[in-house]
Amino acid sequence: MLKFENCRIGHDRVLYEIAELELERGEFAALIGANGSGKSTLLDALVQGKFPNGKVSVEGRNWNDLKLMERAHQITLVDNHFLGFDYLKVNEYLELGRHSYTNFTGRLSAEDQNIVQKYVQTLHLESLLEQSTSTLSDGERQRVGIAKALIQETPIILLDEPTAFLDYPTKKEVMSLLGKIAKESNRLVIIASHDIDFCIQYCSRILIIEKESKSLSSYLQIEQDELVKRAFGIS
């Protein structure tokens, strides 16, 4: 589904390499590495379609060759900070998830509205629709951001630190929800995270930016001590 071949990740310098990796629909994958190791760099490159070194393909198509709207139908990044979209009503923010499907007027069709309502109900957001995005709690922001990603109906969903600043019960709720979304809606969900315990518990695949070898490795199962050693160089 999402395949990497001989990729070097980084802007001014190479942060790490991905020799070969293929991720499938239905997987919930965690990307783990030290601060500054290049987790967000990989997510940004996927969204922007910029891989000057190596090859990335989605469903067999070269990712660099796809146009902006084509990428928007394949991948979305959950931004729980609402950068550039603060002070919108929640319902207005959610409707942005259908933007790439609308015509030049930007108006939502009846089908678009039905899709929005479907995920509003799925994530139980009815009581928040008239609320400003700037007044939401951290947990509410995550649920609204995830809902917008689902409304965009892309097969790949990316999240950068989705459990940061959340309390323990809300972290568990968000991680359980993401795993359920990946499995039941047959999507590939990838999160960059420092919450190692939750990743081991809920994710079906662990991707580690290896501190020593500067390479990305993939594990279906790994013990916490081994993960910490590989990602952070701590025994």
Side-chain angles (χ1 to χ4, degrees), residues 58-73:
V58 176
E59 304 287 22
R61 301 181 66 189
N62 191 314
W63 191 237
N64 285 349
D65 294 341
L66 299 186
K67 296 179 180 178
L68 178 62
M69 281 301 183
E70 290 178 308
R71 292 200 304 273
H73 292 169

Side-chain angles (χ1 to χ4, degrees), residues 47-96:
V47 172
Q48 297 171 17
K50 294 182 179 179
F51 287 93
N53 303 298
K55 180 182 178 182
V56 176
S57 56
V58 176
E59 304 287 22
R61 301 181 66 189
N62 191 314
W63 191 237
N64 285 349
D65 294 341
L66 299 186
K67 296 179 180 178
L68 178 62
M69 281 301 183
E70 290 178 308
R71 292 200 304 273
H73 292 169
Q74 293 293 327
I75 199 166
T76 184
L77 175 65
V78 174
D79 171 25
N80 65 316
H81 299 294
F82 301 116
L83 296 177
F85 301 107
D86 47 354
Y87 299 104
L88 288 177
K89 288 184 178 180
V90 168
N91 67 309
E92 295 171 332
Y93 178 74
L94 293 176
E95 289 175 356
L96 293 174

Side-chain angles (χ1 to χ4, degrees), residues 171-183:
K171 286 177 188 277
K172 292 192 67 173
E173 177 187 355
V174 168
M175 291 294 285
S176 177
L177 174 62
L178 292 174
K180 183 178 180 181
I181 287 168
K183 186 175 182 179

Side-chain angles (χ1 to χ4, degrees), residues 3-197:
K3 187 174 183 179
F4 299 85
E5 299 173 87
N6 301 314
C7 294
R8 286 178 286 173
I9 307 303
H11 298 302
D12 300 328
R13 61 188 177 88
V14 176
L15 297 173
Y16 58 96
E17 298 183 352
I18 308 175
E20 186 173 0
L21 173 68
E22 187 164 6
L23 303 172
E24 301 292 347
R25 287 174 177 263
E27 290 195 83
F28 180 22
L31 177 63
I32 297 174
N35 286 335
S37 61
K39 299 186 297 298
S40 297
T41 302
L42 176 58
L43 300 188
D44 290 341
L46 281 170
V47 172
Q48 297 171 17
K50 294 182 179 179
F51 287 93
N53 303 298
K55 180 182 178 182
V56 176
S57 56
V58 176
E59 304 287 22
R61 301 181 66 189
N62 191 314
W63 191 237
N64 285 349
D65 294 341
L66 299 186
K67 296 179 180 178
L68 178 62
M69 281 301 183
E70 290 178 308
R71 292 200 304 273
H73 292 169
Q74 293 293 327
I75 199 166
T76 184
L77 175 65
V78 174
D79 171 25
N80 65 316
H81 299 294
F82 301 116
L83 296 177
F85 301 107
D86 47 354
Y87 299 104
L88 288 177
K89 288 184 178 180
V90 168
N91 67 309
E92 295 171 332
Y93 178 74
L94 293 176
E95 289 175 356
L96 293 174
R98 299 304 299 169
H99 175 72
S100 63
Y101 298 94
T102 58
N103 58 25
F104 69 94
T105 67
R107 294 179 180 177
L108 270 63
S109 67
E111 180 182 357
D112 291 323
Q113 293 285 2
N114 288 336
I115 291 171
V116 172
Q117 288 304 311
K118 171 186 175 181
Y119 292 111
V120 165
Q121 294 170 9
T122 298
L123 277 83
H124 309 294
L125 300 176
E126 293 89 343
S127 63
L128 301 178
L129 293 180
E130 294 300 315
Q131 193 168 323
S132 169
T133 56
S134 62
T135 65
L136 298 176
S137 69
D138 290 333
E140 289 169 341
R141 280 175 176 247
Q142 284 296 1
R143 284 197 293 132
V144 169
I146 292 167
K148 178 175 171 288
L150 292 173
I151 287 166
Q152 195 169 331
E153 293 204 317
T154 60
I156 304 172
I157 299 175
L158 310 176
L159 302 99
D160 198 354
E161 299 290 350
T163 56
F165 312 115
L166 302 182
D167 59 25
Y168 183 84
T170 309
K171 286 177 188 277
K172 292 192 67 173
E173 177 187 355
V174 168
M175 291 294 285
S176 177
L177 174 62
L178 292 174
K180 183 178 180 181
I181 287 168
K183 186 175 182 179
E184 294 186 358
S185 63
N186 198 32
R187 306 186 197 206
L188 170 60
V189 178
I190 305 174
I191 65 169
S193 179
H194 282 107
D195 279 322
I196 294 173
D197 292 345

